Amino acid sequence: MLINYNYFWIFLMAILVANGFMWKYKSKNHIEENPELREGRDRLFKGWLIFSIIPCLLMGFGMLTGLTENLHDYYLSEKQNPFVIFYYVVILIIEILGTRWIFFKGGAEKLVLHRFIATPVVGKEKAEVLKMKGMWILVLLSGAVGFYMMMNNNFQF
């Protein structure tokens, strides 16, 4: 069976948007009990949508315009495609902004307060904040390992 991966970006975007709506829905009861948090939760939701789908839209743009031929181009082949390099620079910028927000702008605390991703036990919010920060570090590390593997052609297609 031949699978066309050139539309993977649509599938990925659908999953990311669905996750955002799921997290928004899961926080519904908490927001109803604390209506003053609604605006913050809605900002978190919009931020999630914007920053999570930017890479998907860039990938789709590259594939639809012919700047990239297929999904394999995004695995940093020897072609050194300038658009793919731009794509990874954008991802790096998003990761830097996310790290700044999570660690230095109270992002982890906001996620816990609004029950957007985390649903802490009352009185254990600080532990949940630490967990959120640890999860972000794992996201960054897994991305770095994947990037390293791509740079060294450790993926086989």
Side-chain angles (χ1 to χ4, degrees):
M1 180 171 126
L2 183 62
I3 299 174
N4 185 346
Y5 290 104
N6 291 342
Y7 298 100
F8 174 75
W9 61 277
I10 295 172
F11 174 71
L12 182 59
M13 189 166 45
I15 289 172
L16 293 167
V17 169
N19 274 335
F21 277 104
M22 180 191 67
W23 291 329
K24 186 175 181 179
Y25 178 77
K26 282 175 58 176
S27 68
K28 182 180 159 197
N29 291 339
H30 180 65
I31 296 302
E32 286 175 358
E33 294 170 6
N34 304 282
E36 69 278 4
L37 298 177
R38 182 176 311 280
E39 183 180 335
R41 190 269 322 258
D42 291 344
R43 281 198 334 257
L44 288 171
F45 176 68
K46 288 175 189 171
W48 168 259
L49 290 180
I50 291 168
F51 285 105
S52 68
I53 67 171
I54 286 173
C56 300
L57 292 175
L58 278 175
M59 183 179 284
F61 179 80
M63 289 187 177
L64 294 175
T65 61
L67 292 169
T68 58
E69 293 177 27
N70 54 43
L71 186 62
H72 187 265
D73 284 358
Y74 290 89
Y75 285 94
L76 296 174
S77 64
E78 57 281 344
K79 293 180 186 179
Q80 299 293 313
N81 182 327
F83 183 78
V84 174
I85 293 169
F86 171 73
Y87 172 81
Y88 281 104
V89 168
V90 168
I91 290 175
L92 180 63
I93 290 169
I94 290 171
E95 289 176 345
I96 290 168
L97 291 173
T99 300
R100 180 175 170 256
W101 183 72
I102 289 282
F103 286 97
F104 306 110
K105 296 289 184 176
E109 291 82 358
K110 288 175 186 168
L111 290 170
V112 171
L113 173 68
H114 292 87
R115 309 291 197 265
F116 190 67
I117 294 176
T119 309
V121 176
V122 175
K124 305 247 181 191
E125 290 86 357
K126 287 185 181 186
E128 197 66 32
V129 167
L130 288 174
K131 188 166 96 175
M132 295 301 294
K133 290 178 179 181
M135 286 174 38
W136 182 252
I137 290 169
L138 287 175
V139 165
L140 295 176
L141 287 174
S142 64
V145 167
F147 188 78
Y148 173 80
M149 291 175 71
M150 285 190 294
M151 293 297 291
N152 291 291
N153 294 317
N154 289 335
F155 288 112
Q156 300 297 317
F157 289 98

